Amino acid sequence: MAVNCLPNYPPFNRFLPPVFKSSTVRKSVLARNSNGQEPSSTGSVLLQEKKTFPGKPEADVVVIGSGIGGLCCAGLLARYGQDILVLESHDLPGGAAHSFEIKGYKFDSGPSLFSGFQSRGLQANPLAQVLDALGESLPCVNYDSWMVYLPEGEFLSRIGPTEFYKDLEKYASKNAVQEWKKLLDAILPLSAAAMALPPLSIRGDLGVLSTVASRPFSEIIDSLELKDPFIRNWIDLLAFLLAGVKSNGILSAEMVYMFAEWYKPGCSLEYPVHGSGALVNALVRGMEKFGGRLSLGSHVEKIVVENGRATGVKLKSGQFIRAKKAVVSNASMWDTLNLLPREVVPKSYLDRVNTTPQCESFMHLHLGFDAEGLREDLGIHHIVVNDWDRGVDADQNVVLISVPSVLSPDLAPPGKHVLHAYTPGTEPFELWEGLDRRSAEYKKLKAERSEVMWRAVERALGPGFSRDKCDVKLVGTPLTHRRFLRRNRGTYGPAIQAGKDTFPGHSTPILQLYCCGDSTFPGIGVPAVAASGAIVANSLVSVSQHSELLDAIGI
């Protein structure tokens, strides 16, 4: 599992092996700086789009966007023998899971908390199943804990069924221990049922997405009569990290899956060697192994609809790319809508998209600094909660910190560390809307709103850390998030409450137009977007082809 909220944002670069055989070759130009100013790009400058499209300007399926959902969809379709073309606006693939390099520091801009990559077969997570189908492995470092800094105190939180009891007894109460045991006794048996329908076995034509396990997880908590404040707060935090909503908004199925991954015997967390960019690299490599194509710097301006069917896309350069069977959009529902001619969109679909609530945006802090003076057992992940009473979804209240170089030292120069801190989908876009990024007002607000992250980093790293001695300092705002991820309002994704509404799924009112990514499948995070890509791919091939693939990977 990978939790989106424990990062996810723009492309990665040249520390990856040169495996891409993409139909466009782009020159990477570093454009970030280390003086605390907003970067001018996601680690590279997009060169002007070429006037002509290289290679064959058609495919069976054209995929818009090379985020994890789009790459999973494209990779599986290529594995199924389809002619696949992925069009990516940026000059490097990865979407919200890319990595970038500055001054020898290799940063994750998105996900950094993963698990389940090494599992295989029925109980593997969706992304591991896709990698298995593509014949790709992902070397990882295993670990089993993260630091938490709560109003009650700070402690090393361990995953697994028993270790957390000790923390509860010390920082909460014996009653909390009993309630946690009661919860695990009820939840872990359900995980077997959850694993019996792995996402890679689902087809969009099964019609199960809007009905399966649609109860909010809070109903299970209430039915078990769990009342301990620490337990309720902790579950809200886990739900928020997983899906951007609290326990009263998350589907029970999502939480059951997470508990199976984090609290079953023998479980562990995993971090990819060489960073999250290695994951994107593996997906691209797997897709291209089966003949799939990736064209970088190819900005889709419009989805072309003829006689009610999506027949291709028009690039910003004016080039038309034909899709013989389907177009799949890995953009958000709001951004996909903006690619469609308004006259072909039914009012019901338009209203549905425009009224779907959105999670808020992010503040980001990327740092490169000296490891000297810091404790050796620093750990990769740190979570700071300032005030339970405000709620984990309140702005400036929860800060997540990742220091991946403690597990993969090659991400930083010798004796150095890289760090990514952020406020997870809680930064109000309204504070930033309409501001000129070059203005004094914008710079002042950026300094003010980033201070909560600086304080959290100083608390996590201790007195040996000094912000004045950082080699790289980058502060990103919701405007940064919107600009480089091309995300409507810089949003984290839909804020759809379980039991009150459902995700729209993968089909659209336009024939031959499908969607994958965080706007389609419950969860928002990396497991969910990987599952969404797989479901769309499965839906575009025959049942016999789908069954053969499942047999091949032991599902």
Side-chain angles (χ1 to χ4, degrees), residues 492-513:
Y492 179 34
I496 295 175
Q497 299 283 315
K500 297 181 181 179
D501 201 355
T502 59
F503 278 72
H506 305 92
S507 62
T508 73
I510 311 299
L511 296 175
Q512 296 182 183
L513 174 63

Side-chain angles (χ1 to χ4, degrees), residues 2 22 46 62 118 156 176 184-185 188 195 240 244 287 318 335 353 355 381 399-400 413 447 451 477 506 525 542:
S22 309
L46 293 181
V62 172
Q118 308 307 310
L156 188 68
L184 290 187
D185 287 346
L188 291 182
M195 296 298 187
F240 186 71
M287 177 192 70
D335 297 294
V353 172
T355 58
H381 292 300
V399 178
L400 306 177
E451 186 60 28
T477 73
H506 305 92
S542 68

Side-chain angles (χ1 to χ4, degrees), residues 4-5 10 234 242 289 362 371 415 425-426 498:
N4 219 35
C5 210
W234 185 258
L242 182 63
K289 179 193 306 179
F362 289 75
T426 57

Side-chain angles (χ1 to χ4, degrees), residues 112 143 145-146 271 378-382 401-407:
S112 65
Y143 64 106
S145 60
W146 65 84
Y271 182 76
L378 179 61
I380 178 174
H381 292 300
H382 307 259
I401 301 168
S402 172
V403 193
S405 49
V406 303
L407 296 181

Side-chain angles (χ1 to χ4, degrees), residues 186-506:
I187 291 300
L188 291 182
L190 296 177
S191 68
M195 296 298 187
L197 188 66
L200 211 69
S201 69
I202 298 175
R203 300 170 58 86
D205 45 19
L206 290 179
V208 300
L209 296 183
S210 62
T211 58
V212 65
S214 59
R215 295 171 59 199
F217 191 66
S218 58
E219 290 188 6
I220 292 181
I221 301 172
D222 292 340
S223 69
L224 294 172
E225 298 183 341
L226 305 184
K227 300 184 182 340
D228 186 89
F230 187 93
I231 295 295
R232 302 288 298 217
N233 285 329
W234 185 258
I235 293 172
D236 271 347
L237 178 62
L238 293 177
F240 186 71
L241 298 178
L242 182 63
V245 292
K246 295 191 290 188
S247 60
N248 62 352
I250 193 170
L251 290 176
S252 296
E254 294 178 65
M255 287 294 280
V256 167
Y257 183 87
M258 185 276 294
F259 270 86
E261 282 282 290
W262 287 4
Y263 294 106
K264 65 185 178 184
C267 60
S268 68
L269 298 170
E270 299 163 338
Y271 182 76
V273 176
H274 311 312
S276 63
L279 165 59
V280 177
N281 188 31
L283 289 172
V284 173
R285 187 172 58 237
M287 177 192 70
E288 293 185 336
K289 179 193 306 179
F290 291 98
R293 292 178 289 150
L294 169 67
S295 181
L296 301 170
S298 297
H299 180 67
V300 173
E301 192 170 68
K302 180 182 178 182
I303 297 171
V304 177
V305 179
E306 300 172 338
N307 299 320
R309 294 178 178 272
T311 58
V313 300
K314 177 185 172 186
L315 302 182
K316 186 178 179 181
S317 65
Q319 178 79 34
F320 172 67
I321 311 298
R322 180 167 296 282
K324 292 185 284 186
K325 294 183 179 179
V327 173
V328 178
S329 176
N330 189 206
S332 75
M333 64 170 75
W334 305 282
D335 297 294
T336 299
L337 184 64
N338 290 334
L339 296 175
L340 287 166
R342 196 50 56 99
E343 64 272 14
V344 307
V345 180
K347 185 178 185 302
S348 58
Y349 186 72
L350 180 69
D351 291 345
R352 168 67 195 271
V353 172
N354 286 333
T355 58
T356 298
Q358 299 181 16
C359 293
E360 295 289 2
S361 191
F362 289 75
M363 290 293 297
H364 293 273
L365 181 65
H366 286 95
L367 303 176
F369 54 94
D370 202 312
E372 186 178 0
L374 302 181
R375 65 180 189 269
E376 293 184 3
D377 61 342
L378 179 61
I380 178 174
H381 292 300
H382 307 259
I383 301 175
V384 178
V385 179
N386 293 315
D387 184 352
W388 285 125
D389 291 339
R390 292 191 63 218
V392 294
D393 53 353
D395 69 298
Q396 302 270 290
N397 195 27
V398 174
V399 178
L400 306 177
I401 301 168
S402 172
V403 193
S405 49
V406 303
L407 296 181
S408 188
D410 65 304
L411 298 178
K416 306 283 186 177
H417 278 312
V418 294
L419 179 148
H420 178 206
Y422 58 100
T423 54
T426 57
E427 180 67 9
F429 188 79
E430 289 75 13
L431 294 176
W432 303 86
E433 194 165 16
L435 290 181
D436 183 343
R437 291 181 297 102
R438 297 164 296 184
S439 68
E441 180 185 6
Y442 174 76
K443 294 173 183 176
K444 180 175 181 291
L445 185 61
K446 185 162 68 168
E448 292 173 353
R449 299 294 290 182
S450 64
E451 186 60 28
V452 67
M453 296 184 294
W454 281 109
R455 290 198 304 269
V457 168
E458 288 167 343
R459 182 177 180 185
L461 300 189
F465 170 79
S466 171
R467 65 174 78 179
D468 296 329
K469 294 182 180 179
C470 292
D471 299 327
V472 178
K473 303 177 192 177
L474 299 174
V475 175
T477 73
L479 298 186
T480 314
H481 206 78
R482 180 181 67 177
R483 182 184 180 200
F484 295 126
L485 282 187
R486 304 186 187 279
R487 298 282 295 181
N488 182 269
R489 297 175 63 81
T491 184
Y492 179 34
I496 295 175
Q497 299 283 315
K500 297 181 181 179
D501 201 355
T502 59
F503 278 72
H506 305 92

